[in-house]
Amino acid sequence: MSEAPLRSVAVIGAGYVGLPLCLHLAKAGLSVTAVDVDEQVVREIEERRAKIDEKEDFETFFADPDVQANLRAQSKPVEADAFVLAVPTPVVHGTKEPDLRAVEAASASIVPYLRRGNLVVVESTIPPLTTENVVRPILEQSGLRVGEDLLLAHCPERILPGNIMSEAVFNARIVGGVDARSTRRAEELLSTFVKGKLLLTDARTAELVKLLENSYRDVNVAFANQVALLCEHLGIDTGVAIELANHHPRVDILKPGIGVGGHCIPVDPWFLVAACPELTGLLRAAREQNDAMPERTADKICAAVAGIEAPAVACLGATYKPNVRDLRESPALEVFEILRGRGLDVALYDPLVPSLACDSVLAAARGLDALAILVPHDLIVTEIRYRKHEILRAMRRPNLLAFTPGVL
Ligand SMILES: NC(=O)c1ccc[n+]([C@@H]2O[C@H](COP(=O)([O-])OP(=O)(O)OC[C@H]3O[C@@H](n4cnc5c(N)ncnc54)[C@H](O)[C@@H]3O)[C@@H](O)[C@H]2O)c1
C-alpha cells in the first residue's frame, strides 16, 4: 500500500467542525476540497465567507494566500489521498436513539472515489463501534478491504465554539485507527497542523473517550443543577453554598443554570445510554436532570408573576451558552417556548443575535412585571452590575430573575 505523503484531502461536511479543518489543512499546504450537500455552504466557502460565529478568525484564514490557493468547495466528493467525515450525528427526537444517517450517507458518497492506499478519518462524534460496524462495511462496498487496501481511523474533535480556530490547533487529540497503520496515517494527517499532543489509540477507544468527555461534563452540570434545587428547597443561597464548598481543595462544583445546550453535551451521553442501557443509569439520570431544567425555569418565572393580571414578561439571552451567537439546542429557546405555550405575554431578546437584538437591559426592562436573565452574556452581566437600580426602577414590578449565581 502506498505510504507517500498525504497531499490531498476531501472533507465531507463543512460546518462547525469541517470548515475549520479545511482551513487549517489548506493553510498547511494540502490541496483541500470541502464537500457539502448544502449548496449555500458550498457557495459561501467558494466566496470565502462563513456564517459561523468567530467571523474575524475565519476572515483571516480565508485571506491567507495558501488557503486561497488550496481550498475549493463543491457538493460532490472528489478523489483524494484522505477523506475526513465531519457530518452531523444527532439523536432521534423523542427516542434519543443515535441518528447515523448522515455518517452512512457521507461514507456511501465517497465509495466511488476511493482508491487503494486512501485514508478515511471519521471526525464526527459517533456511538461505540460505529467506525468498525457501520463505516467500514460501507467503505468496503468499493471492493477495497480496510486493513489491506484502505486505512480507517476515528479522530474525534474537541473544539470549543467561541475559540474554534485556536483550539483546533492547540488541543490534544485522540487518534484511533482500526489498526496500527491506520493510526499512524491519521496521525500524519493531523500533525500537518495540530500542535497539541496526538494521543494514539485504537478506533473503539477513541469513540468511547469522546463520549466519556461530554458525559463527564453533563453529569457535573447535572450535579450543580441538583445542588441548586436542594438549596432552593432548603432556603439556602446556591451561589454561597457552591462557593464555600469549592474552597475544599478537591471540590469543584460547576455553576447551575437553565439546562444544557449545544450540539454535543445534550446528545453524546445518549450514545452510551443507547449502547448499554443497563450500565448507564447515572448518565440517563444526568440527562433527565438537565433536560428538566427549562421546565423548572419556566415554573419559577411563572411563579414570579403569579396573581398579576396579564403580566408582561421578557427573557434575556437566547443562545445555548453565554457569549456565543449559536442558538442550536438552546435551553433558553425552550424556556421561551414553554412560557409562550402557557399563554404568557413574553418577549425574547438577545443582544448577540441580530434578529432578537435589544439596545440594552434597561431598554428591555421598561414596563415589565418580570425580566428573566436566561443567558448571562458578559454584556448583560456588566450592564446589570452598573445599572441595577435604574433597571429595577424602569420595571412595572422589580422582578429581576437569574438562574446562575453571581448574575444579580
Ligand atoms: N460543533 C462543535 O463544536 C463540535 C465539537 C466536537 C464534535 N462535534 C461533532 O462533529 C460533527 C459535525 O458537527 P458540526 O457542528 O460541524 O455540524 P454542522 O451541522 O455545523 O455541519 C455539518 C455539515 O455537514 C453537512 N452534511 C450533512 N450530511 C452530509 C453529507 N452526506 N455529505 C456532505 N455534507 C453533509 C451539512 O450540510 C453541514 O454543513 C458532529 O458529529 C458533532 O457532534 C461538533
Side-chain angles (χ1 to χ4, degrees), residues 125-208:
T125 306
I126 44 177
L129 305 184
T130 301
T131 309
E132 285 170 68
N133 293 351
V134 178
V135 177
R136 179 184 189 140
I138 296 176
L139 300 183
E140 290 188 339
Q141 287 167 11
S142 62
L144 299 166
R145 312 296 303 166
V146 169
E148 292 166 29
D149 311 304
L150 295 174
L151 301 159
L152 174 61
H154 177 48
C155 302
E157 183 51 81
R158 287 172 162 162
I159 47 168
L160 175 80
N163 193 23
I164 290 178
M165 294 310 284
S166 164
E167 290 219 349
V169 172
F170 294 105
N171 284 349
R173 292 285 299 273
I174 308 289
V175 183
V178 296
D179 53 25
R181 278 167 69 215
S182 298
T183 307
R184 279 198 305 276
R185 197 66 162 159
E187 179 192 24
E188 185 187 326
L189 178 67
L190 288 190
S191 63
T192 56
F193 69 95
V194 174
K195 295 193 171 41
K197 267 197 178 145
L198 294 176
L199 307 162
L200 309 188
T201 182
D202 55 72
R204 60 176 70 185
T205 306
E207 291 167 342
L208 182 70

Side-chain angles (χ1 to χ4, degrees), residues 15-18 20 51-55 57-58 125 157-168 171 210 214 217 261-266 268 319-329 352 377:
Y16 277 77
V17 165
K51 64 171 189 296
I52 297 176
D53 209 354
E54 302 163 59
K55 212 163 168 275
D57 274 358
F58 281 90
T125 306
E157 183 51 81
R158 287 172 162 162
I159 47 168
L160 175 80
N163 193 23
I164 290 178
M165 294 310 284
S166 164
E167 290 219 349
N171 284 349
K210 172 68 193 174
N214 281 344
R217 296 170 68 208
H263 223 48
C264 297
I265 300 179
D268 299 354
T319 59
Y320 86 87
K321 67 174 185 174
N323 305 321
V324 298
R325 295 189 180 89
D326 193 342
L327 294 165
R328 298 183 301 173
E329 313 277 340
L352 300 189
H377 296 308

Side-chain angles (χ1 to χ4, degrees), residues 200-404:
L200 309 188
T201 182
D202 55 72
R204 60 176 70 185
T205 306
E207 291 167 342
L208 182 70
V209 168
K210 172 68 193 174
L211 301 177
L212 295 184
E213 291 164 7
N214 281 344
S215 300
Y216 171 84
R217 296 170 68 208
D218 199 41
V219 170
N220 277 5
V221 176
F223 180 73
N225 283 332
Q226 193 149 85
V227 168
L229 297 175
L230 270 172
C231 286
E232 274 159 38
H233 182 71
L234 298 170
I236 292 167
D237 185 313
T238 308
V240 170
I242 290 178
E243 210 264 322
L244 291 176
N246 283 348
H247 278 280
H248 184 293
R250 285 166 296 282
V251 171
D252 186 13
I253 303 173
L254 301 180
K255 284 186 175 163
I258 62 165
V260 173
H263 223 48
C264 297
I265 300 179
V267 173
D268 299 354
W270 289 119
F271 291 177
L272 290 175
V273 174
C276 305
E278 66 291 352
L279 299 176
T280 47
L282 178 65
L283 303 190
R284 175 182 278 280
R287 272 290 66 244
E288 286 170 355
Q289 168 80 60
N290 289 334
D291 274 355
M293 294 313 291
E295 197 81 39
R296 289 180 185 276
T297 306
D299 289 346
K300 286 187 206 160
I301 297 168
C302 288
V305 293
I308 301 171
E309 202 183 326
V313 175
C315 296
L316 204 48
T319 59
Y320 86 87
K321 67 174 185 174
N323 305 321
V324 298
R325 295 189 180 89
D326 193 342
L327 294 165
R328 298 183 301 173
E329 313 277 340
S330 166
L333 290 179
E334 219 182 311
V335 173
F336 174 67
E337 289 304 334
I338 294 169
L339 293 174
R340 270 222 307 214
R342 292 185 190 177
L344 214 63
D345 168 18
V346 55
L348 177 65
Y349 302 110
D350 192 312
L352 300 189
V353 180
S355 59
L356 299 171
C358 59
D359 290 340
S360 61
V361 180
L362 180 63
R366 282 208 176 91
L368 291 180
D369 296 296
L371 178 60
I373 315 298
L374 297 184
V375 187
H377 296 308
D378 287 350
L379 204 62
I380 293 174
V381 176
T382 307
E383 187 184 339
I384 292 175
R385 191 160 298 146
Y386 289 106
R387 297 171 101 175
K388 189 169 171 186
H389 294 296
E390 226 180 316
I391 292 165
L392 289 171
R393 271 202 308 275
M395 298 177 73
R396 190 156 63 189
R397 288 188 175 76
N399 266 331
L400 199 50
L401 309 170
F403 308 92
T404 310

Side-chain angles (χ1 to χ4, degrees), residues 75-95:
S75 55
K76 292 270 179 296
V78 284
E79 285 188 21
D81 296 332
F83 296 84
V84 181
L85 311 184
V87 293
T89 47
V91 284
V92 178
H93 190 72
T95 68

